Amino acid sequence: EKIKEQIIAGDFYEMNYCLEFFAEDIIIDAVKTFISLNDKAQAPFSSFFKLGDKYLLCASPERFLKKEGAKLISQPIKGTIRKGESEEENTLLQQQLKNDIKEQAENVMIVDLVRNDLAHCSVPGSVQVEELFGIYGFNTVNQMISTVASTARSDVHFTDIIKCTFPMGSMTGAPKVMVMQTIEQYEDFKRGLYSGSVGYITPEGDFDFNVVIRGILYNEADKYLSVPVGGAITYDSGAEKEYEEVLLKAKA
């Protein structure tokens, strides 16, 4: 309700608000747990990352940014609905998601933000929305994904492309800086690597990065396991429905 009050006041128009589910005094086999999660989710941007005694087991369905030659591609996700029990039910649910005005509004706000981010490092006039409101089925959920592409300027180093687009709009909101400051006030945990990015960079300066969502953050030394999950809050958001969506995303 407080977030919605700020939206009505005009401070911002969409904020990604996240919660943390956690367990203490936990011992897991990180590799086996990742394999199990990966089998359940079968997500295209899954990643296993280990840094000392800290692990990320990530089943991400979302691409943050890809660079291939001069082409840049970003694919923000905004819009989630459960997977149907049958093919017929799933087709109906996908249609429901595709035609959901609230989900479309969430999605297009972030598409606009991504277009603006890419414009800073792209050839003028080259930013295009290649697909708006695409509906994609994953093993546990259906998602609304849009694809924004552009041509990188030849005078911009690949590290600057990452700098001017990070953090991704789908995990912040719009306008980006204002919502990032507000997120700090409302969330009662530190995101850390969650909602960041894992990927690779080639020797030629091409890259592909995911959005760190649908993952487990595990600190082996502290025996602390964290599963952060979130969603976009807009003027039309209802608290119960948003919480149900959070549980759906955390299910795997």
Side-chain angles (χ1 to χ4, degrees), residues 159-227:
T159 56
D160 292 314
I161 295 169
I162 296 168
K163 278 179 191 170
C164 75
T165 53
F166 188 86
M168 61 291 298
S170 62
M171 294 307 294
T172 51
K176 194 191 273 188
V177 175
M178 181 65 194
V179 289
M180 284 164 63
Q181 291 166 349
T182 312
I183 282 166
E184 284 291 306
Q185 295 168 32
Y186 284 117
E187 292 182 359
D188 59 2
F189 75 104
K190 292 294 180 189
R191 292 190 184 186
L193 183 52
Y194 171 71
S195 85
S197 192
V198 171
Y200 65 83
I201 303 168
T202 71
E204 295 74 37
D206 287 346
F207 56 74
D208 204 357
F209 283 98
N210 73 1
V211 177
V212 176
I213 51 174
R214 318 288 159 84
I216 297 166
L217 294 159
Y218 178 56
N219 187 318
E220 195 172 42
D222 295 347
K223 299 180 186 172
Y224 186 85
L225 186 149
S226 173
V227 181

Side-chain angles (χ1 to χ4, degrees), residues 14 16 76-80 103 106-107 110 144 170-171 231-232:
E14 179 173 343
N16 191 274
I77 292 179
K78 271 286 161 271
T80 305
E103 302 286 17
E106 281 184 20
N107 193 288
I110 300 308
M144 184 183 282
S170 62
M171 294 307 294

Side-chain angles (χ1 to χ4, degrees), residues 14-228:
E14 179 173 343
M15 185 181 119
N16 191 274
Y17 175 62
C18 300
L19 312 168
E20 182 196 30
F21 299 106
F22 65 91
E24 296 172 295
D25 202 26
I26 289 288
I27 296 171
I28 63 167
D29 182 318
V31 174
K32 282 183 181 170
T33 306
F34 174 69
I35 290 167
S36 173
L37 175 63
N38 214 21
D39 285 345
K40 281 187 176 70
Q42 294 179 23
F45 298 102
S46 294
S47 55
F48 178 90
F49 183 71
K50 179 180 188 290
L51 186 66
D53 54 12
K54 296 177 181 67
Y55 294 84
L56 167 71
L57 324 177
C58 179
S60 175
E62 184 171 3
R63 168 179 277 139
F64 158 46
L65 191 64
K66 179 182 184 180
K67 178 179 178 290
E68 195 168 21
K71 185 166 186 179
L72 303 176
I73 300 169
S74 183
Q75 293 181 295
I77 292 179
K78 271 286 161 271
T80 305
I81 203 166
R82 68 183 175 85
K83 194 83 180 275
E85 296 294 321
S86 65
E87 203 171 313
E88 292 78 16
E89 186 193 19
N90 199 54
T91 301
L92 287 171
L93 286 167
Q94 287 189 346
Q95 280 301 118
Q96 187 183 323
L97 178 60
K98 189 171 182 66
N99 299 318
D100 189 313
I101 301 299
K102 175 189 166 288
E103 302 286 17
Q104 287 180 0
E106 281 184 20
N107 193 288
V108 82
M109 285 179 199
I110 300 308
V111 165
D112 279 343
L113 189 151
V114 170
R115 286 169 61 208
N116 184 59
D117 281 353
L118 286 176
H120 293 297
C121 53
S122 300
V123 173
S126 70
V127 181
Q128 303 290 332
V129 179
E130 291 190 345
E131 183 179 32
L132 189 65
F133 310 148
I135 304 298
Y136 291 83
F138 296 93
N139 229 30
T140 52
V141 292
N142 294 299
Q143 305 271 200
M144 184 183 282
I145 306 176
S146 293
T147 299
V148 187
S150 69
T151 304
R153 292 206 330 256
S154 58
D155 62 326
V156 178
H157 195 265
F158 76 85
T159 56
D160 292 314
I161 295 169
I162 296 168
K163 278 179 191 170
C164 75
T165 53
F166 188 86
M168 61 291 298
S170 62
M171 294 307 294
T172 51
K176 194 191 273 188
V177 175
M178 181 65 194
V179 289
M180 284 164 63
Q181 291 166 349
T182 312
I183 282 166
E184 284 291 306
Q185 295 168 32
Y186 284 117
E187 292 182 359
D188 59 2
F189 75 104
K190 292 294 180 189
R191 292 190 184 186
L193 183 52
Y194 171 71
S195 85
S197 192
V198 171
Y200 65 83
I201 303 168
T202 71
E204 295 74 37
D206 287 346
F207 56 74
D208 204 357
F209 283 98
N210 73 1
V211 177
V212 176
I213 51 174
R214 318 288 159 84
I216 297 166
L217 294 159
Y218 178 56
N219 187 318
E220 195 172 42
D222 295 347
K223 299 180 186 172
Y224 186 85
L225 186 149
S226 173
V227 181

